[in-house]
PDB file of all heavy atoms in Angstrom:
ATOM      1  N   LEU A   1       4.427   2.554 -27.071  1.00  0.00           N
ATOM      2  CA  LEU A   1       4.319   1.981 -25.751  1.00  0.00           C
ATOM      3  C   LEU A   1       5.380   2.578 -24.807  1.00  0.00           C
ATOM      4  O   LEU A   1       6.545   2.562 -25.174  1.00  0.00           O
ATOM      5  CB  LEU A   1       4.412   0.493 -25.816  1.00  0.00           C
ATOM      6  CG  LEU A   1       4.076  -0.298 -24.549  1.00  0.00           C
ATOM      7  CD1 LEU A   1       3.629  -1.737 -24.988  1.00  0.00           C
ATOM      8  CD2 LEU A   1       5.218  -0.423 -23.605  1.00  0.00           C
ATOM      9  N   GLN A   2       4.992   3.044 -23.698  1.00  0.00           N
ATOM     10  CA  GLN A   2       5.900   3.697 -22.750  1.00  0.00           C
ATOM     11  C   GLN A   2       5.526   3.346 -21.312  1.00  0.00           C
ATOM     12  O   GLN A   2       4.366   3.309 -20.970  1.00  0.00           O
ATOM     13  CB  GLN A   2       5.943   5.213 -22.930  1.00  0.00           C
ATOM     14  CG  GLN A   2       7.102   5.853 -22.239  1.00  0.00           C
ATOM     15  CD  GLN A   2       7.178   7.382 -22.660  1.00  0.00           C
ATOM     16  OE1 GLN A   2       6.217   7.977 -23.162  1.00  0.00           O
ATOM     17  NE2 GLN A   2       8.341   7.905 -22.394  1.00  0.00           N
ATOM     18  N   LEU A   3       6.576   3.100 -20.506  1.00  0.00           N
ATOM     19  CA  LEU A   3       6.396   2.834 -19.092  1.00  0.00           C
ATOM     20  C   LEU A   3       7.268   3.762 -18.307  1.00  0.00           C
ATOM     21  O   LEU A   3       8.435   3.950 -18.635  1.00  0.00           O
ATOM     22  CB  LEU A   3       6.766   1.364 -18.756  1.00  0.00           C
ATOM     23  CG  LEU A   3       6.001   0.263 -19.482  1.00  0.00           C
ATOM     24  CD1 LEU A   3       6.651  -1.100 -19.239  1.00  0.00           C
ATOM     25  CD2 LEU A   3       4.546   0.221 -18.922  1.00  0.00           C
ATOM     26  N   VAL A   4       6.683   4.363 -17.292  1.00  0.00           N
ATOM     27  CA  VAL A   4       7.467   5.292 -16.492  1.00  0.00           C
ATOM     28  C   VAL A   4       7.246   4.972 -14.988  1.00  0.00           C
ATOM     29  O   VAL A   4       6.144   4.969 -14.470  1.00  0.00           O
ATOM     30  CB  VAL A   4       6.976   6.758 -16.690  1.00  0.00           C
ATOM     31  CG1 VAL A   4       7.776   7.702 -15.759  1.00  0.00           C
ATOM     32  CG2 VAL A   4       7.159   7.147 -18.144  1.00  0.00           C
ATOM     33  N   GLU A   5       8.417   4.654 -14.357  1.00  0.00           N
ATOM     34  CA  GLU A   5       8.373   4.297 -12.933  1.00  0.00           C
ATOM     35  C   GLU A   5       8.542   5.570 -12.066  1.00  0.00           C
ATOM     36  O   GLU A   5       9.269   6.504 -12.489  1.00  0.00           O
ATOM     37  CB  GLU A   5       9.472   3.282 -12.515  1.00  0.00           C
ATOM     38  CG  GLU A   5       9.362   1.923 -13.264  1.00  0.00           C
ATOM     39  CD  GLU A   5      10.265   1.883 -14.474  1.00  0.00           C
ATOM     40  OE1 GLU A   5      10.587   2.935 -15.004  1.00  0.00           O
ATOM     41  OE2 GLU A   5      10.735   0.783 -14.812  1.00  0.00           O
ATOM     42  N   SER A   6       8.047   5.489 -10.863  1.00  0.00           N
ATOM     43  CA  SER A   6       8.262   6.621  -9.945  1.00  0.00           C
ATOM     44  C   SER A   6       8.049   6.043  -8.549  1.00  0.00           C
ATOM     45  O   SER A   6       7.548   4.934  -8.327  1.00  0.00           O
ATOM     46  CB  SER A   6       7.240   7.761 -10.161  1.00  0.00           C
ATOM     47  OG  SER A   6       5.962   7.293 -10.019  1.00  0.00           O
ATOM     48  N   GLY A   7       8.440   6.855  -7.540  1.00  0.00           N
ATOM     49  CA  GLY A   7       8.209   6.464  -6.141  1.00  0.00           C
ATOM     50  C   GLY A   7       9.429   5.964  -5.410  1.00  0.00           C
ATOM     51  O   GLY A   7       9.382   5.719  -4.186  1.00  0.00           O
ATOM     52  N   GLY A   8      10.580   5.843  -6.103  1.00  0.00           N
ATOM     53  CA  GLY A   8      11.760   5.363  -5.417  1.00  0.00           C
ATOM     54  C   GLY A   8      12.341   6.509  -4.540  1.00  0.00           C
ATOM     55  O   GLY A   8      11.893   7.615  -4.503  1.00  0.00           O
ATOM     56  N   GLY A   9      13.328   6.072  -3.762  1.00  0.00           N
ATOM     57  CA  GLY A   9      13.989   7.061  -2.887  1.00  0.00           C
ATOM     58  C   GLY A   9      14.822   6.423  -1.804  1.00  0.00           C
ATOM     59  O   GLY A   9      15.059   5.216  -1.892  1.00  0.00           O
ATOM     60  N   LEU A  10      15.241   7.208  -0.904  1.00  0.00           N
ATOM     61  CA  LEU A  10      16.023   6.729   0.295  1.00  0.00           C
ATOM     62  C   LEU A  10      15.121   6.511   1.396  1.00  0.00           C
ATOM     63  O   LEU A  10      14.331   7.390   1.813  1.00  0.00           O
ATOM     64  CB  LEU A  10      17.119   7.772   0.577  1.00  0.00           C
ATOM     65  CG  LEU A  10      17.927   7.513   1.885  1.00  0.00           C
ATOM     66  CD1 LEU A  10      18.784   6.224   1.689  1.00  0.00           C
ATOM     67  CD2 LEU A  10      18.820   8.744   2.157  1.00  0.00           C
ATOM     68  N   VAL A  11      15.184   5.311   2.012  1.00  0.00           N
ATOM     69  CA  VAL A  11      14.342   4.988   3.111  1.00  0.00           C
ATOM     70  C   VAL A  11      15.124   4.190   4.138  1.00  0.00           C
ATOM     71  O   VAL A  11      16.063   3.469   3.823  1.00  0.00           O
ATOM     72  CB  VAL A  11      13.107   4.187   2.583  1.00  0.00           C
ATOM     73  CG1 VAL A  11      13.553   2.886   2.032  1.00  0.00           C
ATOM     74  CG2 VAL A  11      12.084   3.983   3.726  1.00  0.00           C
ATOM     75  N   GLN A  12      14.759   4.331   5.395  1.00  0.00           N
ATOM     76  CA  GLN A  12      15.447   3.605   6.458  1.00  0.00           C
ATOM     77  C   GLN A  12      14.947   2.185   6.534  1.00  0.00           C
ATOM     78  O   GLN A  12      13.812   1.857   6.077  1.00  0.00           O
ATOM     79  CB  GLN A  12      15.155   4.269   7.780  1.00  0.00           C
ATOM     80  CG  GLN A  12      15.826   5.619   7.933  1.00  0.00           C
ATOM     81  CD  GLN A  12      15.629   6.227   9.320  1.00  0.00           C
ATOM     82  OE1 GLN A  12      14.812   5.797  10.106  1.00  0.00           O
ATOM     83  NE2 GLN A  12      16.458   7.243   9.696  1.00  0.00           N
ATOM     84  N   PRO A  13      15.824   1.299   6.996  1.00  0.00           N
ATOM     85  CA  PRO A  13      15.340  -0.128   7.200  1.00  0.00           C
ATOM     86  C   PRO A  13      14.077  -0.217   7.964  1.00  0.00           C
ATOM     87  O   PRO A  13      13.931   0.535   9.008  1.00  0.00           O
ATOM     88  CB  PRO A  13      16.525  -0.754   7.937  1.00  0.00           C
ATOM     89  CG  PRO A  13      17.708   0.050   7.519  1.00  0.00           C
ATOM     90  CD  PRO A  13      17.204   1.503   7.410  1.00  0.00           C
ATOM     91  N   GLY A  14      13.198  -1.054   7.553  1.00  0.00           N
ATOM     92  CA  GLY A  14      11.902  -1.181   8.203  1.00  0.00           C
ATOM     93  C   GLY A  14      10.842  -0.296   7.611  1.00  0.00           C
ATOM     94  O   GLY A  14       9.632  -0.426   7.913  1.00  0.00           O
ATOM     95  N   GLY A  15      11.231   0.617   6.776  1.00  0.00           N
ATOM     96  CA  GLY A  15      10.307   1.557   6.119  1.00  0.00           C
ATOM     97  C   GLY A  15       9.535   0.952   4.939  1.00  0.00           C
ATOM     98  O   GLY A  15       9.738  -0.233   4.663  1.00  0.00           O
ATOM     99  N   SER A  16       8.715   1.757   4.378  1.00  0.00           N
ATOM    100  CA  SER A  16       7.854   1.303   3.276  1.00  0.00           C
ATOM    101  C   SER A  16       7.903   2.304   2.104  1.00  0.00           C
ATOM    102  O   SER A  16       8.202   3.505   2.288  1.00  0.00           O
ATOM    103  CB  SER A  16       6.387   1.172   3.651  1.00  0.00           C
ATOM    104  OG  SER A  16       6.259   0.224   4.693  1.00  0.00           O
ATOM    105  N   LEU A  17       7.686   1.762   0.892  1.00  0.00           N
ATOM    106  CA  LEU A  17       7.604   2.612  -0.311  1.00  0.00           C
ATOM    107  C   LEU A  17       6.512   1.992  -1.173  1.00  0.00           C
ATOM    108  O   LEU A  17       6.275   0.817  -1.143  1.00  0.00           O
ATOM    109  CB  LEU A  17       8.905   2.629  -1.087  1.00  0.00           C
ATOM    110  CG  LEU A  17      10.046   3.482  -0.635  1.00  0.00           C
ATOM    111  CD1 LEU A  17      11.277   3.249  -1.488  1.00  0.00           C
ATOM    112  CD2 LEU A  17       9.696   4.980  -0.707  1.00  0.00           C
ATOM    113  N   ARG A  18       5.923   2.836  -1.977  1.00  0.00           N
ATOM    114  CA  ARG A  18       5.008   2.393  -3.036  1.00  0.00           C
ATOM    115  C   ARG A  18       5.526   2.911  -4.382  1.00  0.00           C
ATOM    116  O   ARG A  18       5.539   4.126  -4.636  1.00  0.00           O
ATOM    117  CB  ARG A  18       3.567   2.739  -2.810  1.00  0.00           C
ATOM    118  CG  ARG A  18       2.646   2.099  -3.811  1.00  0.00           C
ATOM    119  CD  ARG A  18       1.207   2.367  -3.659  1.00  0.00           C
ATOM    120  NE  ARG A  18       0.751   3.696  -4.133  1.00  0.00           N
ATOM    121  CZ  ARG A  18      -0.475   4.029  -4.449  1.00  0.00           C
ATOM    122  NH1 ARG A  18      -1.454   3.139  -4.244  1.00  0.00           N
ATOM    123  NH2 ARG A  18      -0.723   5.254  -4.845  1.00  0.00           N
ATOM    124  N   LEU A  19       5.973   1.983  -5.219  1.00  0.00           N
ATOM    125  CA  LEU A  19       6.452   2.325  -6.544  1.00  0.00           C
ATOM    126  C   LEU A  19       5.250   2.245  -7.491  1.00  0.00           C
ATOM    127  O   LEU A  19       4.358   1.416  -7.367  1.00  0.00           O
ATOM    128  CB  LEU A  19       7.530   1.366  -6.994  1.00  0.00           C
ATOM    129  CG  LEU A  19       8.744   1.159  -6.046  1.00  0.00           C
ATOM    130  CD1 LEU A  19       9.740   0.295  -6.711  1.00  0.00           C
ATOM    131  CD2 LEU A  19       9.319   2.493  -5.648  1.00  0.00           C
ATOM    132  N   SER A  20       5.285   3.169  -8.447  1.00  0.00           N
ATOM    133  CA  SER A  20       4.292   3.237  -9.481  1.00  0.00           C
ATOM    134  C   SER A  20       4.856   3.062 -10.835  1.00  0.00           C
ATOM    135  O   SER A  20       5.990   3.474 -11.117  1.00  0.00           O
ATOM    136  CB  SER A  20       3.515   4.532  -9.410  1.00  0.00           C
ATOM    137  OG  SER A  20       2.870   4.738  -8.182  1.00  0.00           O
ATOM    138  N   CYS A  21       4.114   2.450 -11.701  1.00  0.00           N
ATOM    139  CA  CYS A  21       4.564   2.283 -13.083  1.00  0.00           C
ATOM    140  C   CYS A  21       3.336   2.709 -13.957  1.00  0.00           C
ATOM    141  O   CYS A  21       2.347   2.032 -13.994  1.00  0.00           O
ATOM    142  CB  CYS A  21       4.991   0.861 -13.363  1.00  0.00           C
ATOM    143  SG  CYS A  21       5.232   0.501 -15.084  1.00  0.00           S
ATOM    144  N   THR A  22       3.511   3.805 -14.633  1.00  0.00           N
ATOM    145  CA  THR A  22       2.377   4.317 -15.430  1.00  0.00           C
ATOM    146  C   THR A  22       2.611   4.065 -16.889  1.00  0.00           C
ATOM    147  O   THR A  22       3.719   4.374 -17.432  1.00  0.00           O
ATOM    148  CB  THR A  22       2.241   5.827 -15.222  1.00  0.00           C
ATOM    149  OG1 THR A  22       1.927   6.029 -13.791  1.00  0.00           O
ATOM    150  CG2 THR A  22       0.994   6.414 -15.974  1.00  0.00           C
ATOM    151  N   ALA A  23       1.629   3.530 -17.548  1.00  0.00           N
ATOM    152  CA  ALA A  23       1.719   3.093 -18.915  1.00  0.00           C
ATOM    153  C   ALA A  23       1.064   4.091 -19.876  1.00  0.00           C
ATOM    154  O   ALA A  23       0.082   4.729 -19.484  1.00  0.00           O
ATOM    155  CB  ALA A  23       1.106   1.697 -19.103  1.00  0.00           C
ATOM    156  N   SER A  24       1.593   4.190 -21.022  1.00  0.00           N
ATOM    157  CA  SER A  24       0.930   5.037 -22.087  1.00  0.00           C
ATOM    158  C   SER A  24       1.213   4.353 -23.400  1.00  0.00           C
ATOM    159  O   SER A  24       2.149   3.623 -23.564  1.00  0.00           O
ATOM    160  CB  SER A  24       1.469   6.462 -22.009  1.00  0.00           C
ATOM    161  OG  SER A  24       2.845   6.450 -22.354  1.00  0.00           O
ATOM    162  N   GLY A  25       0.315   4.646 -24.341  1.00  0.00           N
ATOM    163  CA  GLY A  25       0.507   4.151 -25.695  1.00  0.00           C
ATOM    164  C   GLY A  25      -0.056   2.720 -25.983  1.00  0.00           C
ATOM    165  O   GLY A  25       0.115   2.170 -27.052  1.00  0.00           O
ATOM    166  N   PHE A  26      -0.606   2.100 -24.904  1.00  0.00           N
ATOM    167  CA  PHE A  26      -1.178   0.758 -25.172  1.00  0.00           C
ATOM    168  C   PHE A  26      -2.246   0.527 -24.054  1.00  0.00           C
ATOM    169  O   PHE A  26      -2.321   1.207 -23.040  1.00  0.00           O
ATOM    170  CB  PHE A  26      -0.101  -0.272 -25.091  1.00  0.00           C
ATOM    171  CG  PHE A  26       0.503  -0.529 -23.718  1.00  0.00           C
ATOM    172  CD1 PHE A  26       0.198  -1.637 -22.945  1.00  0.00           C
ATOM    173  CD2 PHE A  26       1.393   0.422 -23.219  1.00  0.00           C
ATOM    174  CE1 PHE A  26       0.796  -1.822 -21.695  1.00  0.00           C
ATOM    175  CE2 PHE A  26       2.034   0.267 -22.014  1.00  0.00           C
ATOM    176  CZ  PHE A  26       1.682  -0.883 -21.213  1.00  0.00           C
ATOM    177  N   THR A  27      -3.071  -0.508 -24.362  1.00  0.00           N
ATOM    178  CA  THR A  27      -4.083  -0.914 -23.369  1.00  0.00           C
ATOM    179  C   THR A  27      -3.548  -1.921 -22.446  1.00  0.00           C
ATOM    180  O   THR A  27      -3.356  -3.052 -22.723  1.00  0.00           O
ATOM    181  CB  THR A  27      -5.321  -1.470 -24.134  1.00  0.00           C
ATOM    182  OG1 THR A  27      -5.841  -0.521 -25.033  1.00  0.00           O
ATOM    183  CG2 THR A  27      -6.412  -1.826 -23.141  1.00  0.00           C
ATOM    184  N   MET A  28      -3.251  -1.437 -21.213  1.00  0.00           N
ATOM    185  CA  MET A  28      -2.577  -2.281 -20.275  1.00  0.00           C
ATOM    186  C   MET A  28      -3.316  -3.485 -19.787  1.00  0.00           C
ATOM    187  O   MET A  28      -2.787  -4.512 -19.351  1.00  0.00           O
ATOM    188  CB  MET A  28      -2.236  -1.418 -19.027  1.00  0.00           C
ATOM    189  CG  MET A  28      -1.157  -2.028 -18.116  1.00  0.00           C
ATOM    190  SD  MET A  28      -0.800  -0.935 -16.705  1.00  0.00           S
ATOM    191  CE  MET A  28      -2.301  -1.076 -15.722  1.00  0.00           C
ATOM    192  N   ASP A  29      -4.684  -3.440 -19.977  1.00  0.00           N
ATOM    193  CA  ASP A  29      -5.553  -4.529 -19.490  1.00  0.00           C
ATOM    194  C   ASP A  29      -5.118  -5.878 -19.925  1.00  0.00           C
ATOM    195  O   ASP A  29      -5.275  -6.866 -19.216  1.00  0.00           O
ATOM    196  CB  ASP A  29      -6.956  -4.281 -19.945  1.00  0.00           C
ATOM    197  CG  ASP A  29      -7.459  -2.910 -19.622  1.00  0.00           C
ATOM    198  OD1 ASP A  29      -6.692  -1.911 -19.758  1.00  0.00           O
ATOM    199  OD2 ASP A  29      -8.653  -2.784 -19.255  1.00  0.00           O
ATOM    200  N   TYR A  30      -4.581  -6.002 -21.127  1.00  0.00           N
ATOM    201  CA  TYR A  30      -4.313  -7.315 -21.705  1.00  0.00           C
ATOM    202  C   TYR A  30      -2.864  -7.756 -21.517  1.00  0.00           C
ATOM    203  O   TYR A  30      -2.518  -8.848 -22.034  1.00  0.00           O
ATOM    204  CB  TYR A  30      -4.639  -7.306 -23.212  1.00  0.00           C
ATOM    205  CG  TYR A  30      -6.071  -6.801 -23.463  1.00  0.00           C
ATOM    206  CD1 TYR A  30      -6.298  -5.553 -24.098  1.00  0.00           C
ATOM    207  CD2 TYR A  30      -7.175  -7.500 -23.071  1.00  0.00           C
ATOM    208  CE1 TYR A  30      -7.558  -5.077 -24.326  1.00  0.00           C
ATOM    209  CE2 TYR A  30      -8.446  -7.132 -23.290  1.00  0.00           C
ATOM    210  CZ  TYR A  30      -8.670  -5.891 -23.923  1.00  0.00           C
ATOM    211  OH  TYR A  30      -9.962  -5.451 -24.158  1.00  0.00           O
ATOM    212  N   TYR A  31      -2.055  -7.000 -20.856  1.00  0.00           N
ATOM    213  CA  TYR A  31      -0.663  -7.274 -20.732  1.00  0.00           C
ATOM    214  C   TYR A  31      -0.281  -7.861 -19.374  1.00  0.00           C
ATOM    215  O   TYR A  31      -0.891  -7.474 -18.359  1.00  0.00           O
ATOM    216  CB  TYR A  31       0.178  -5.971 -20.876  1.00  0.00           C
ATOM    217  CG  TYR A  31       0.292  -5.499 -22.281  1.00  0.00           C
ATOM    218  CD1 TYR A  31      -0.789  -5.044 -23.061  1.00  0.00           C
ATOM    219  CD2 TYR A  31       1.566  -5.473 -22.947  1.00  0.00           C
ATOM    220  CE1 TYR A  31      -0.649  -4.645 -24.367  1.00  0.00           C
ATOM    221  CE2 TYR A  31       1.732  -5.039 -24.242  1.00  0.00           C
ATOM    222  CZ  TYR A  31       0.554  -4.640 -24.947  1.00  0.00           C
ATOM    223  OH  TYR A  31       0.722  -4.209 -26.242  1.00  0.00           O
ATOM    224  N   ALA A  32       0.636  -8.806 -19.396  1.00  0.00           N
ATOM    225  CA  ALA A  32       1.290  -9.163 -18.161  1.00  0.00           C
ATOM    226  C   ALA A  32       2.226  -8.126 -17.743  1.00  0.00           C
ATOM    227  O   ALA A  32       2.973  -7.556 -18.569  1.00  0.00           O
ATOM    228  CB  ALA A  32       2.044 -10.490 -18.319  1.00  0.00           C
ATOM    229  N   MET A  33       2.234  -7.727 -16.475  1.00  0.00           N
ATOM    230  CA  MET A  33       3.125  -6.739 -15.973  1.00  0.00           C
ATOM    231  C   MET A  33       4.065  -7.358 -14.935  1.00  0.00           C
ATOM    232  O   MET A  33       3.660  -8.114 -14.082  1.00  0.00           O
ATOM    233  CB  MET A  33       2.311  -5.589 -15.279  1.00  0.00           C
ATOM    234  CG  MET A  33       1.255  -4.999 -16.182  1.00  0.00           C
ATOM    235  SD  MET A  33       1.922  -4.121 -17.619  1.00  0.00           S
ATOM    236  CE  MET A  33       2.880  -2.796 -16.818  1.00  0.00           C
ATOM    237  N   GLY A  34       5.310  -6.983 -15.045  1.00  0.00           N
ATOM    238  CA  GLY A  34       6.278  -7.542 -14.137  1.00  0.00           C
ATOM    239  C   GLY A  34       7.164  -6.447 -13.463  1.00  0.00           C
ATOM    240  O   GLY A  34       7.336  -5.352 -14.031  1.00  0.00           O
ATOM    241  N   TRP A  35       7.559  -6.726 -12.207  1.00  0.00           N
ATOM    242  CA  TRP A  35       8.546  -5.904 -11.516  1.00  0.00           C
ATOM    243  C   TRP A  35       9.829  -6.672 -11.398  1.00  0.00           C
ATOM    244  O   TRP A  35       9.852  -7.818 -10.960  1.00  0.00           O
ATOM    245  CB  TRP A  35       8.043  -5.461 -10.178  1.00  0.00           C
ATOM    246  CG  TRP A  35       7.075  -4.315 -10.140  1.00  0.00           C
ATOM    247  CD1 TRP A  35       5.717  -4.376 -10.106  1.00  0.00           C
ATOM    248  CD2 TRP A  35       7.402  -2.946 -10.300  1.00  0.00           C
ATOM    249  NE1 TRP A  35       5.162  -3.144 -10.125  1.00  0.00           N
ATOM    250  CE2 TRP A  35       6.187  -2.242 -10.251  1.00  0.00           C
ATOM    251  CE3 TRP A  35       8.558  -2.216 -10.396  1.00  0.00           C
ATOM    252  CZ2 TRP A  35       6.102  -0.819 -10.294  1.00  0.00           C
ATOM    253  CZ3 TRP A  35       8.545  -0.821 -10.436  1.00  0.00           C
ATOM    254  CH2 TRP A  35       7.299  -0.160 -10.400  1.00  0.00           C
TER     255      TRP A  35
END
Protein backbone atom coordinates (compact mmCIF):
# COMPACT_ATOMS: atom_id res chain seq x y z
CA LEU A 1 0.00 0.00 0.00
CA GLN A 2 1.37 3.38 -1.02
CA LEU A 3 0.06 6.94 -0.99
CA VAL A 4 1.70 9.80 -2.87
CA GLU A 5 0.63 13.41 -2.41
CA SER A 6 1.21 16.15 -4.95
CA GLY A 7 0.03 19.63 -5.80
CA GLY A 8 1.57 21.65 -3.00
CA GLY A 9 3.50 24.84 -3.53
CA LEU A 10 3.81 28.52 -2.80
CA VAL A 11 0.63 30.52 -3.22
CA GLN A 12 -0.47 34.02 -2.33
CA PRO A 13 -3.17 34.65 0.25
CA GLY A 14 -6.57 34.26 -1.30
CA GLY A 15 -5.31 31.76 -3.84
CA SER A 16 -6.32 28.16 -4.43
CA LEU A 17 -4.65 24.79 -4.69
CA ARG A 18 -5.79 21.28 -5.41
CA LEU A 19 -3.84 18.59 -3.65
CA SER A 20 -3.92 15.04 -4.95
CA CYS A 21 -3.28 11.79 -3.18
CA THR A 22 -2.78 8.81 -5.47
CA ALA A 23 -3.03 5.33 -4.07
CA SER A 24 -1.41 2.12 -5.22
CA GLY A 25 -1.26 -1.41 -3.94
CA PHE A 26 -4.80 -1.52 -2.58
CA THR A 27 -8.44 -1.01 -3.53
CA MET A 28 -9.17 2.47 -2.31
CA ASP A 29 -12.94 2.06 -2.63
CA TYR A 30 -13.28 0.42 0.77
CA TYR A 31 -10.99 2.70 2.72
CA ALA A 32 -11.65 5.82 4.72
CA MET A 33 -9.38 8.56 3.44
CA GLY A 34 -8.22 11.48 5.54
CA TRP A 35 -6.32 14.70 5.03
